[in-house]
Amino acid sequence: MIACCLFQVVNVSGSVPPKVSEALSVAREARCSLDDLLHKEQLLSSSVDQHLADVQLWMDDLGETRDQVDTIERHMKYLRSLFVLHQSQHSHCRHLYSFLYKTLRFWHKIIKDRLSSDFDNILTQLHWPIDDIISQALVPSRGEPSPQPGCSATPPPHTLPLCLPVQIMLLPLSKRFKYHFSGNRQTNSLSKPEWYLTQTLLWMGNSSAFMEEKIQPILDRSAATINARVELSRGLLSLVQEKVAFDAGRLLYDDVLFCHLVEEVLQFEKELRSTYSYPKTFPGLLHLLLDEAVLQKWLTVEKKMAVEKMDAMLSAEGAWSSQYKDINDMDELKAPDCAETFMTLLQVITDRYQALPCPSAQLKFLGLQRELVDDFRIRLTQVMKEESRCPLGFRYCAILNAVNYISTILADWGDNVFFLQLQQAAVSLGEDALLKGLGVMELGRLASLEGSLFDGELALLDRLKGDMLGRLLEWTMREITEKAKPYCQDRWLSLPSQHDQSTMSLSSSACPMMLCLRDRLLNLHQVLSFSLFQLAWQGLAERLDSFIYQEVILSNHFSDGGAAQLQFDMSRNLFPLFGHYCKRPENFFKHVKEACIILCLNVGSALLLRSLLKDSRETSDWMSAGDPPPESALNELGVYCLAACDVLILLGLRASWPGQ
């Protein structure tokens, strides 16, 4: 209609005034502007619709984020409430504390289950557990694993619980352990504890790199002071601990299998600490052997087997021969095989109980060792009595060597650090079995480490050694004195004087004695240990010195020739027999040596000495302090052992005095 009106206006434009024409022009412009605005409005509306469509996605995301923030905020408020409750756990409000505990357990289980599931998936992707079980080669039987008392992954009550990741990692290993080492399966054999012990060590070794490379860095980042490798080993040990405890109770009536279990446990503990570097601060398996019934069984079996071995070693064919008899450098102690085997037996017992973590238990084994030493000494004494009719025989000397060997080793053990520590433990614990019968002085010596726990056994062994050595020397001297009878009865008074000793020779009557002495010394040197032979030849020299002094010198009178012959026999023949074993053998024949000095003095010196000694004896009561004692004159002559009265007796045995 507007257009029609405009057309009519145009037709009559010639008659229209100019203002109307101007208005029409403005209207046309307005129409164009309106069309342009309408077009822009359409464009803007389309743009707004598109923008709203795009923003709607953001709004949806923002709404979800807002909802999450609201949820987290509610959770934070809830956790703050729990924290406030936690601060009140020492409160006397028991219901409040019970609520707190149940709430924490509730959330702990939720979080644990969620994290465990995630962690288990990760472990599956990492192919954990990474090793296979050795018992697959043993062809185990089929079927579901049956429950076994005492076999679980639960840690012992006296240890800290395992961290949750390791508990999760332990589950598949625990299942495998129970499957193969419980119930009636072939791999669960009481006679083969090494199967599950070896398997456990293999698991520890094979998983070591995985734990250090994959798990330890995670624990380090969380600032947890946990060693992943050790933690897994603790978990595996908990399985073994309960398995060993269960099996040990079933083997208390089977000595052979019980001993085998103990040996395997000890070997496992040794490898665990050395090869796998398991810390000593954590318990292994040895504490299981400290159970009263198990420990008593161990002691009983240890004693039983030791006694059986002692019977066998003493009745063996080569019991009294030394296995090193053909090797001079290694046969200084000349210990017979039975003695060496016995001390090896004691050392093996020591090696077994040395690692026990309880001094009281160790002292019980030490008491057993002392009892075995005493038992072996009694057995040696019984055999010695059978051989005492021939003290110079091979077996008698072998028994003497055995006693000396055992005594020497026990003395060395008394200075060993381990036994010194046991000694201090025995004193501090007041062990009645070990300290029974000791007085205050003995206890004081033990406490100050001056004595040893083997002093009682050493005293009895030394007494036996002294008795046997004394009987041997007595028998030897009996043979020598029998051969020396012609020499004792020689005509010393009528022998002519010989000025040239180069023409002198050993008295014919002394030859049997010297030959017998030489043979006995050589024999004793061959059959006795070095330390025993030292005691033997020195004791023989002491007895021989006394015998010759009493039976040859003091029982005869001597001419100058007889005195010279005696000195020649002693200094050139007797003393050199002992010169193979010391540098100055004459020092062990002081009576004979000094008697020869007195008998061989020239006449003038002898007269002066006799006069001096007689005068000193008669005037001893009124001698002035400035007068030299008679001992000084004797010392100048080389006489230190003989007293002045003995020298006067010897001077009286000289036949060559002026006027006689």
Side-chain angles (χ1 to χ4, degrees):
M1 182 173 179
I2 295 173
C4 182
C5 292
L6 291 175
F7 179 76
Q8 291 176 0
V9 172
V10 170
N11 290 329
V12 293
S13 60
S15 61
V16 176
K19 290 184 179 180
V20 174
S21 177
E22 183 178 353
L24 289 173
S25 177
V26 171
R28 292 188 190 98
E29 291 177 0
R31 179 184 176 187
C32 292
S33 177
L34 178 61
D35 292 338
D36 185 54
L37 289 174
L38 289 173
H39 178 70
K40 288 182 179 181
E41 185 273 335
Q42 291 178 351
L43 291 178
L44 182 60
S45 177
S46 299
S47 177
V48 168
D49 291 341
Q50 182 64 36
H51 178 71
L52 290 176
D54 295 339
V55 171
Q56 186 61 42
L57 296 176
W58 294 356
M59 291 296 293
D60 294 341
D61 292 341
L62 181 60
E64 293 179 2
T65 304
R66 183 194 61 193
D67 294 340
Q68 292 177 357
V69 169
D70 291 340
T71 302
I72 293 174
E73 186 176 6
R74 289 196 303 272
H75 288 170
M76 290 297 296
K77 291 179 179 179
Y78 186 74
L79 291 175
R80 290 192 191 99
S81 301
L82 291 179
F83 179 72
V84 173
L85 288 172
H86 177 69
Q87 289 180 324
S88 305
Q89 62 178 320
H90 300 294
S91 170
H92 295 289
C93 302
R94 289 179 297 175
H95 296 291
L96 178 63
Y97 180 75
S98 176
F99 172 75
L100 167 65
Y101 180 76
K102 292 178 180 179
T103 304
L104 290 176
R105 287 288 300 271
F106 172 78
W107 282 110
H108 179 269
K109 184 179 185 306
I110 293 176
I111 297 173
K112 175 183 175 181
D113 292 342
R114 179 173 296 181
L115 294 179
S116 298
S117 177
D118 295 342
F119 188 57
D120 194 47
N121 292 333
I122 295 174
L123 290 176
T124 303
Q125 295 175 8
L126 294 175
H127 305 290
W128 173 264
I130 59 176
D131 53 313
D132 206 354
I133 191 163
I134 59 171
S135 57
Q136 288 178 353
L138 302 176
V139 193
S141 60
R142 301 281 181 180
E144 290 299 321
S146 60
Q148 173 175 311
C151 186
S152 69
T154 305
H158 60 278
T159 59
L160 293 175
L162 297 172
C163 65
L164 180 58
V166 174
Q167 291 184 33
I168 298 171
M169 298 179 70
L170 192 63
L171 287 175
L173 298 177
S174 176
K175 290 179 181 178
R176 294 187 181 191
F177 190 91
K178 292 178 183 180
Y179 181 87
H180 291 281
F181 303 118
S182 64
N184 298 322
R185 284 174 182 77
Q186 184 179 353
T187 48
N188 182 35
S189 173
L190 287 174
S191 63
K192 296 293 183 180
E194 60 270 25
W195 285 353
Y196 64 81
L197 293 175
T198 302
Q199 180 60 61
T200 303
L201 291 177
L202 282 176
W203 276 337
M204 290 181 184
N206 293 340
S207 62
S208 177
F210 180 87
M211 299 300 291
E212 292 177 351
E213 296 173 4
K214 304 295 185 182
I215 306 301
Q216 189 63 50
I218 301 174
L219 295 174
D220 293 341
R221 285 196 297 270
S222 63
T225 57
I226 297 176
N227 186 307
R229 178 182 58 81
V230 173
E231 195 75 354
L232 181 67
S233 298
R234 279 211 306 136
L236 292 171
L237 271 177
S238 67
L239 300 173
V240 181
Q241 287 166 350
E242 298 184 19
K243 171 66 174 172
V244 170
F246 179 73
D247 285 357
R250 300 169 63 191
L251 296 177
L252 291 178
Y253 301 100
D254 191 318
D255 292 352
V256 176
L257 294 184
F258 180 84
C259 288
H260 182 57
L261 175 63
V262 171
E263 290 287 353
E264 290 298 328
V265 167
L266 293 173
Q267 183 62 31
F268 175 88
E269 184 79 17
K270 182 179 179 181
E271 292 187 28
L272 180 68
R273 303 296 182 181
S274 59
T275 306
Y276 297 90
S277 303
Y278 192 68
K280 293 184 178 180
T281 53
F282 293 109
L285 297 182
L286 292 183
H287 66 282
L288 301 174
L289 302 179
L290 300 180
D291 177 78
E292 184 176 357
V294 174
L295 182 61
Q296 188 57 46
K297 178 64 177 180
W298 185 5
L299 287 166
T300 302
V301 173
E302 198 78 70
K303 180 179 180 180
K304 176 185 175 182
M305 297 184 67
V307 171
E308 292 175 354
K309 290 178 181 178
M310 282 194 291
D311 292 336
M313 68 180 69
L314 287 173
S315 59
E317 183 178 354
W320 305 107
S321 299
S322 172
Q323 57 179 323
Y324 306 112
K325 59 183 178 181
D326 298 326
I327 309 176
N328 294 330
D329 295 340
M330 298 182 61
D331 200 31
E332 184 174 300
L333 290 174
K334 290 185 171 61
D337 189 60
C338 64
E340 193 162 4
T341 304
F342 174 70
M343 293 311 296
T344 302
L345 172 65
L346 293 185
Q347 182 60 57
V348 170
I349 294 176
T350 302
D351 294 339
R352 278 197 284 265
Y353 77 80
Q354 187 170 4
L356 288 178
C358 176
S360 179
Q362 292 175 331
L363 289 171
K364 291 181 180 179
F365 281 95
L366 178 62
L368 172 62
Q369 288 178 305
R370 293 177 58 183
E371 184 179 344
L372 293 175
V373 169
D374 199 51
D375 189 356
F376 196 74
R377 176 188 60 81
I378 293 174
R379 293 167 184 260
L380 290 178
T381 304
Q382 292 171 345
V383 180
M384 179 271 295
K385 290 180 179 178
E386 299 174 0
E387 302 294 328
S388 59
R389 290 172 293 181
C390 184
L392 299 178
F394 168 75
R395 179 170 291 190
Y396 185 92
C397 293
I399 297 171
L400 182 55
N401 284 332
V403 174
N404 181 68
Y405 175 76
I406 296 173
S407 179
T408 301
I409 299 300
L410 289 181
D412 291 341
W413 284 6
D415 296 328
N416 183 276
V417 174
F418 171 68
F419 288 106
L420 289 175
Q421 292 173 343
L422 279 188
Q423 182 173 325
Q424 289 183 324
V427 175
S428 61
L429 295 175
E431 286 289 330
D432 295 336
L434 294 174
L435 307 178
K436 184 178 180 180
L438 296 181
V440 178
M441 293 291 292
E442 289 81 359
L443 288 175
R445 293 183 70 250
L446 286 178
S448 61
L449 301 181
E450 294 180 9
S452 80
L453 292 173
F454 299 104
D455 281 351
E457 288 69 32
L458 287 172
L460 294 173
L461 288 169
D462 289 343
R463 183 187 301 174
L464 177 59
K465 179 173 68 175
D467 293 343
M468 292 186 67
L469 190 59
R471 185 178 288 109
L472 184 147
L473 294 179
E474 181 182 349
W475 191 277
T476 303
M477 280 301 301
R478 188 182 305 170
E479 188 175 4
I480 293 175
T481 54
E482 184 66 26
K483 301 291 185 181
K485 284 183 178 179
Y487 191 66
C488 296
Q489 299 169 0
D490 213 341
R491 303 177 63 184
W492 301 100
L493 186 60
S494 60
L495 290 178
S497 176
Q498 298 187 28
H499 298 287
D500 188 5
Q501 285 195 354
S502 62
T503 61
M504 297 179 66
S505 61
L506 176 65
S507 299
S508 58
S509 59
C511 289
M513 177 185 71
M514 296 295 182
L515 287 174
C516 179
L517 177 60
R518 181 201 64 182
D519 293 342
R520 288 300 165 224
L521 285 173
L522 288 174
N523 180 64
L524 293 176
H525 186 252
Q526 291 174 352
V527 298
L528 293 181
S529 67
F530 176 79
S531 59
L532 279 177
F533 179 69
Q534 290 293 105
L535 295 175
W537 76 255
Q538 291 176 16
L540 190 60
E542 180 182 356
R543 287 168 169 78
L544 200 56
D545 178 50
S546 176
F547 170 77
I548 294 176
Y549 182 72
Q550 295 289 338
E551 302 298 329
V552 177
I553 297 176
L554 294 183
S555 300
N556 291 282
H557 287 75
F558 296 85
S559 64
D560 289 345
Q565 183 65 48
L566 176 67
Q567 186 179 41
F568 180 83
D569 292 343
M570 299 295 105
S571 60
R572 297 295 183 88
N573 294 278
L574 177 64
F575 298 164
L577 288 178
F578 293 85
H580 297 289
Y581 318 116
C582 63
K583 293 183 178 180
R584 300 183 65 85
E586 64 274 9
N587 290 339
F588 295 90
F589 294 88
K590 293 181 179 180
H591 292 86
V592 172
K593 181 187 73 171
E594 294 180 3
C596 289
I597 292 174
I598 299 301
L599 293 175
C600 292
L601 285 175
N602 58 54
V603 177
S605 299
L607 287 172
L608 288 174
L609 181 60
R610 184 175 66 172
S611 176
L612 174 63
L613 295 178
K614 285 184 177 180
D615 291 344
S616 64
R617 184 175 61 180
E618 294 173 357
T619 61
S620 59
D621 295 336
W622 52 270
M623 285 180 63
S624 63
D627 295 332
E631 286 77 10
S632 61
L634 295 176
N635 293 343
E636 290 179 1
L637 296 174
V639 177
Y640 299 93
C641 177
L642 296 176
C645 58
D646 297 327
V647 173
L648 282 174
I649 294 174
L650 290 171
L651 290 173
L653 299 178
R654 292 171 58 102
S656 56
W657 292 107
Q660 292 183 352

